[in-house]
Amino acid sequence: MTVPGSVSGQAITQVQAGGTLTREQAAAAFGPILAGDFTGADVAWGALFAALHARGATSAEALGLIDAILAFDNELADQLARPVPLDVAEPVVAVTGSGKESFKTFNVSTAAAFVAASHPGVRVIKPAGRATSAVTGASDVLELLGIRLPKTLPQVAELARECGIGVFDYHLVAPKYGPRYEGRFHHLHPLSHVTPWLFIPFRLDGMVFGVSEPRGALAAAVMVEWGVRRAAVVSTTVGEHGRIDEYAPFGTAELTMVAEGKIESSVVRRPVPADVRQVAQQHNHEDNSAMILDLLHGRAPRVAVELTCANAGLLLQVAGVAEDHAGGIAQAEELLASGAALKTLDACREASLRIVG
């Protein structure tokens, strides 16, 4: 698998034996794997991540993996070191998730982003990707909704300033690491807690991040080390159906809040509705985009509305325009019912055609 005695091999053996790595050791182990410096580097990648994930990665180990990524992809490192400001008075928040759920839902975070972005006092950044572990990724849905994905970061910022929401594909910000990672893992791994929210090169006031397993404290701890001021890390077990990377108003919902360096976690258990399968992802891109349109047009099942507004409400809470989650949900319900979210989608579609071309 690795050259005997190599730094990567030693680290893998150490973790498999139950040991932990320092931040420096994790970076030193992952760097040669990313660079493909030895025969079997890809096998070593899987072995390292499997061992870390089975034991549960520490924040130091996750930060070390990040260090290796940024050393490998200089353009990504430069972008993250100089986050783009939107130059707006309103708070700027982002929403993204790990994917890889055991219960695949429709593109909830995309729908929630449009609902929250329709609030006049908020700007939303929504990163997207192609389908990997799911049928339809956010990039697939956005394109079917008629939105042109920006080709530059200034175009993303212009979209957000003009219509409240800026969308982009992750490949725009990780030109070297993206192709190296692409399609490698269809299951959760240590970076599932880190890289989805980390790869957002915009100056943010907060974010909502979903991860489809109950280790929200890991993502929250790395966020604090990374300087994230306000965030909500969410995950829900939907009874026997499995786990999702969203906050649900049903099932066992886990919420970890980050506020100015402090981390607080809570768990709420509610019954799972009999019609919960109505929020399941459909079998093709067209039907999944149609689900979002139905939601914004007011034609979606109540369970889909509640799931979307629960996540949009967290975005409004993190942005500071709602006093608490309940207030955020109430505002989200009003924005959706009034047609404001649908107007935001229409505005984003029109603006992207003009800005992106």
Side-chain angles (χ1 to χ4, degrees):
M1 178 177 63
T2 63
V3 177
S6 71
V7 171
S8 301
Q10 290 174 353
I12 292 168
T13 300
Q14 184 173 332
V15 176
Q16 289 173 335
T20 59
L21 305 176
T22 65
R23 180 171 179 171
E24 292 74 21
Q25 287 174 323
F30 194 34
I33 291 172
L34 282 175
D37 283 346
F38 54 87
T39 301
D42 286 359
V43 177
W45 189 336
L48 176 62
F49 275 26
L52 287 171
H53 190 69
R55 189 249 290 146
T58 66
S59 59
E61 289 166 338
L63 287 163
L65 299 179
I66 293 171
D67 292 340
I69 291 172
L70 298 185
F72 175 74
D73 193 331
N74 293 332
E75 188 170 337
L76 171 63
D78 289 345
Q79 289 174 339
L80 296 182
R82 300 175 180 81
V84 177
L86 293 194
D87 295 324
V88 294
E90 299 82 7
V92 181
V93 293
V95 57
T96 188
S98 67
K100 305 177 178 68
E101 312 98 323
S102 49
F103 173 37
K104 306 293 185 185
T105 54
F106 74 100
N107 301 82
V108 176
S109 64
T110 301
F114 281 105
V115 175
S118 66
H119 190 294
V122 178
R123 293 290 185 272
V124 175
I125 298 294
K126 177 67 183 88
R130 302 290 172 186
T132 52
S133 62
V135 173
T136 302
S139 291
D140 304 308
V141 161
L142 289 168
E143 288 184 342
L144 277 173
L145 291 173
I147 295 171
R148 299 281 180 88
L149 293 173
K151 300 173 183 176
T152 67
L153 295 181
Q155 288 180 345
V156 181
E158 188 175 354
L159 263 183
R161 285 192 295 268
E162 184 163 329
C163 54
I165 182 170
V167 299
F168 70 93
D169 190 283
Y170 278 120
H171 283 85
L172 185 62
V173 301
K176 188 175 180 183
Y177 175 73
R180 179 78 176 101
Y181 171 85
E182 191 70 29
R184 189 166 302 280
F185 295 98
H186 296 280
H187 53 78
L188 289 164
H189 54 78
L191 286 179
S192 299
H193 301 264
V194 176
T195 50
W197 61 261
L198 178 70
F199 290 1
I200 304 177
F202 293 89
R203 194 171 297 167
L204 301 175
D205 297 291
M207 67 175 69
V208 174
F209 170 62
V211 59
S212 52
E213 70 170 10
R215 295 181 184 176
L218 173 59
V222 176
M223 286 177 177
V224 169
E225 289 289 333
W226 202 255
V228 175
R229 294 176 53 246
R230 291 175 60 86
V233 182
V234 301
S235 187
T236 304
T237 301
V238 189
E240 63 183 11
H241 300 283
R243 181 170 285 276
I244 62 177
D245 65 344
E246 293 108 17
Y247 187 88
F250 46 76
T252 302
E254 301 169 41
L255 173 63
T256 301
M257 298 295 296
V258 174
E260 306 298 344
K262 296 181 179 179
I263 299 174
E264 293 186 5
S265 298
S266 61
V267 179
V268 179
R269 295 176 176 84
R270 306 180 184 91
V272 176
D275 62 348
V276 71
R277 294 295 306 177
Q278 290 186 309
V279 301
Q281 192 166 82
Q282 301 301 299
H283 299 298
N284 57 62
H285 298 338
E286 290 76 14
D287 288 347
N288 284 311
S289 64
M291 287 189 73
I292 292 182
L293 285 175
D294 284 346
L295 182 86
L296 300 185
H297 277 282
R299 301 189 296 255
R302 182 62 194 169
V303 66
V305 171
E306 291 177 354
L307 179 58
T308 300
C309 289
N311 291 275
L314 276 174
L315 274 169
L316 298 177
Q317 179 186 359
V318 167
V321 297
E323 185 174 349
D324 54 24
H325 191 200
I329 291 173
Q331 289 187 43
E333 292 263 10
E334 291 176 6
L335 292 166
L336 188 57
S338 70
L342 180 61
K343 291 179 181 177
T344 298
L345 171 63
D346 291 338
C348 184
R349 182 189 299 117
E350 294 172 5
S352 73
L353 292 174
R354 184 177 66 259
I355 293 170
V356 181

